[in-house]
Amino acid sequence: DGPRCATPHMDDLEHELRLRAKKELRKRLLGLRKTLSVSGASERSAEIVARVVTHPSFVDARSVAVFFPMETK
């Protein structure tokens, strides 16, 4: 976290702007994801998995937490 603003109002404004930016980013990324074919998505997923499982932090980990989202289509 960076330095805090001197006024609570600016903290609230910054928080609101961050929430809006995250919401817009999620919307854009979901739109991009919807343009991928099933085979394209599978290929990209396999590439990501290959990079993760060979990363030193993953290889050296004693345990790994995983997030598995529920599909909504």
Side-chain angles (χ1 to χ4, degrees):
D1 290 336
R4 303 296 279 167
C5 293
T7 62
H9 173 71
M10 290 306 291
D11 283 342
D12 292 343
L13 178 59
E14 181 181 0
H15 179 72
E16 181 62 30
L17 289 173
R18 286 176 187 261
L19 290 177
R20 288 182 191 178
K22 288 170 80 173
K23 183 177 181 180
E24 182 62 30
L25 183 58
R26 284 186 184 112
K27 181 179 171 183
R28 288 182 185 184
L29 291 175
L30 181 58
L32 284 173
R33 188 174 75 184
K34 287 181 178 182
T35 66
L36 282 176
S37 65
V38 172
S39 62
S42 293
E43 286 178 28
R44 289 187 63 147
S45 180
E47 291 169 2
I48 292 167
V49 169
R51 289 177 65 189
V52 168
V53 300
T54 59
H55 192 280
S57 295
F58 184 88
V59 172
D60 295 341
R62 291 179 48 200
S63 62
V64 177
V66 178
F67 172 76
F68 190 79
M70 297 178 68
E71 298 286 329
T72 55
K73 290 187 178 185

